[in-house]
């Protein structure tokens, strides 16, 4: 099997893998899927991810289709490096292989400019035309006209708060804090038309390539707020050279006033996803972030 054959017959990939006619090297790093580098007969490599064998539950319906749709939509903007989708099957996704490299200041600055270009490509609505996932959790992508603050509170905060409380990761007192945030999103400013965003842009979903570019992987892509992507880049230790990324972004497309104060608000979505998905180990970051948002809201009220 070479790349040309695979492009013409993508549904044959599982059969070739089963009969061990493709050299396969495991790839580490995923929390949900099993991943491997597949080397084809023509020497071309692809990245394949699949639902783990023996998993307690099957892959959610539409899980890989959602990622494929998001990757293609981001790639259509022709603004930033996104791997090509080669195979998209109900239980398997295969992408063009990106040779890993090391982050550099120059790549970070290019990434900032290219991310601004991606966001500028925009979206017809908030949400998307395909059902969404973030991690293995469903994410409501029902298209909506906004305003962003209402959409974000109802579609990106409230659902994962409910899941987190129902799963025991957050207490009723924690929930009250987050509910206060949900009730005040509209007063924190920053409403903008929908941007074309990655949607799950924590540092682990930026792949630094040997070509000195930053590649976007594992998206939860949709029409959202551009500040969400930028805020997520600062989570969990932050992306390398974040200051260079932000400076280059600002030169390309300046952010609205108050964006730094809104960083915790935008981060709260992904932190709630983590309590919903992984449990109480992420409780403290959720509580601290909610308090930071409320503190900013109180200061804004005093200033007015």
């Amino acid at each position: 099997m070479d790349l040309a054959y695979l492009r013409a017959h993508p549904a044959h990939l599982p059969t070739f893998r089963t009969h061990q006619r493709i050299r396969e090297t495991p790839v580490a790093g995923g929390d949900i899927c099993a991943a491997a580098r597949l080397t084809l007969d023509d020497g071309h490599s692809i990245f394949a991810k699949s639902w783990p064998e023996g998993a307690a539950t099957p892959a959610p319906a539409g899980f890989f289709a959602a990622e494929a749709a998001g990757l293609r939509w981001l790639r259509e903007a022709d603004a930033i490096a996104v791997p090509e989708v080669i195979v998209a099957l109900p239980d398997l996704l295969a992408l063009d292989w990106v040779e890993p490299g090391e982050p550099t200041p120059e790549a970070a600055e290019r990434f900032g400019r290219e991310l601004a270009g991606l966001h500028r490509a925009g979206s017809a609505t908030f949400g998307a035309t395909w059902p969404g996932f973030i991690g293995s959790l469903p994410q409501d992508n029902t298209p909506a006209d906004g305003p962003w603050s209402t959409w974000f509170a109802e579609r990106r905060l409230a659902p994962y708060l409910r899941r987190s409380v129902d799963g025991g990761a957050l207490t009723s007192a924690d929930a009250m804090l987050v509910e206060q945030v949900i009730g005040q999103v509209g007063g924190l400013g920053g409403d903008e038309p929908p941007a074309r965003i990655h949607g799950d842009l924590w540092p682990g979903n930026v792949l630094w390539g040997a070509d000195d570019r930053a590649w976007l992987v594992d998206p939860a892509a949709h029409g959202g707020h551009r500040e969400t992507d930028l805020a997520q880049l600062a989570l969990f230790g932050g992306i390398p050279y974040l200051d260079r990324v932000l400076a280059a972004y600002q030169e390309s497309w300046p952010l609205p006033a108050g964006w730094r104060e809104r960083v915790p608000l935008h981060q709260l979505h992904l932190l709630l996803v983590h309590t919903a998905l992984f449990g109480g180990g992420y409780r403290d970051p959720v509580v601290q972030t909610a308090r930071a948002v409320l503190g900013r809201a109180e200061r804004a009220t005093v200033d007015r």
Side-chain angles (χ1 to χ4, degrees):
M1 174 180 277
D2 58 20
L3 185 59
Y5 181 93
L6 183 59
R7 290 186 190 280
H9 307 281
H12 292 185
L13 181 57
T15 300
F16 276 81
R17 291 184 76 186
T18 299
H19 294 287
Q20 299 182 342
R21 296 183 62 183
I22 299 176
R23 189 172 71 195
E24 188 165 335
T25 306
V27 174
D31 292 321
I32 295 170
C33 293
R37 178 177 185 173
L38 309 182
T39 304
L40 307 180
D41 291 340
D42 59 1
H44 198 99
S45 288
I46 60 174
F47 173 83
K49 61 190 299 185
S50 55
W51 202 252
E53 292 186 13
T57 58
F63 176 78
F64 289 106
E67 182 172 345
L71 286 165
R72 287 168 174 149
W73 186 63
L74 296 177
R75 189 176 168 88
E76 283 170 7
D78 195 25
I80 198 166
V82 181
E84 178 188 0
V85 176
I86 296 173
V87 177
L89 301 176
D91 55 359
L92 172 69
L93 188 66
L95 315 175
D96 202 17
W97 177 259
V98 176
E99 191 63 31
E102 295 295 327
T104 66
E106 294 75 20
E109 291 170 3
R110 180 175 182 177
F111 176 50
R113 293 189 295 270
E114 291 181 340
L115 188 60
L118 173 69
H119 292 165
R120 274 188 182 276
S123 172
T125 64
F126 294 104
T129 57
W130 57 88
F133 284 88
I134 187 160
S136 59
L137 296 179
Q139 180 158 265
D140 185 357
N141 273 351
T142 305
D145 292 333
W148 168 80
S149 52
T150 301
W151 172 86
F152 187 73
E154 294 178 352
R155 307 284 180 86
R156 291 299 182 262
L157 297 182
Y160 302 104
L161 173 61
R162 288 194 294 271
R163 283 180 173 269
S164 299
V165 173
D166 291 347
L170 297 178
T171 67
S172 58
D174 301 335
M176 288 179 64
L177 276 175
V178 178
E179 286 166 355
Q180 289 181 60
V181 172
I182 290 172
Q184 297 184 41
V185 174
L188 296 174
D191 275 307
E192 285 194 338
R196 186 171 305 214
I197 72 169
H198 178 284
D200 189 11
L201 201 57
W202 70 285
N205 285 342
V206 178
L207 176 59
W208 299 94
D211 57 356
D212 209 30
R213 294 187 77 183
W215 291 71
L216 299 187
V217 297
D218 294 341
H222 62 274
H225 200 302
R226 58 190 177 124
E227 290 177 21
T228 298
D229 272 354
L230 296 170
Q232 290 175 348
L233 286 173
L235 284 169
F236 313 129
I239 194 173
Y241 304 110
L242 177 59
D243 56 339
R244 299 285 191 104
V245 174
L246 294 175
Y249 187 104
Q250 285 274 52
E251 289 178 3
S252 298
W253 189 13
L255 290 159
W259 71 270
R260 291 188 184 276
E261 288 75 20
R262 287 188 294 271
V263 166
L265 172 64
H266 288 274
Q267 291 178 337
L268 188 56
H269 165 231
L270 195 53
L271 292 173
L272 285 168
V273 168
H274 276 67
T275 50
L277 191 58
F278 301 116
Y282 289 91
R283 172 189 173 271
D284 287 349
V286 165
V287 170
Q288 292 163 7
T289 301
R291 285 176 175 158
V293 175
L294 293 172
R296 190 262 176 179
E298 290 174 3
R299 290 191 296 274
T301 301
V302 170
D303 291 342
R304 287 199 293 268

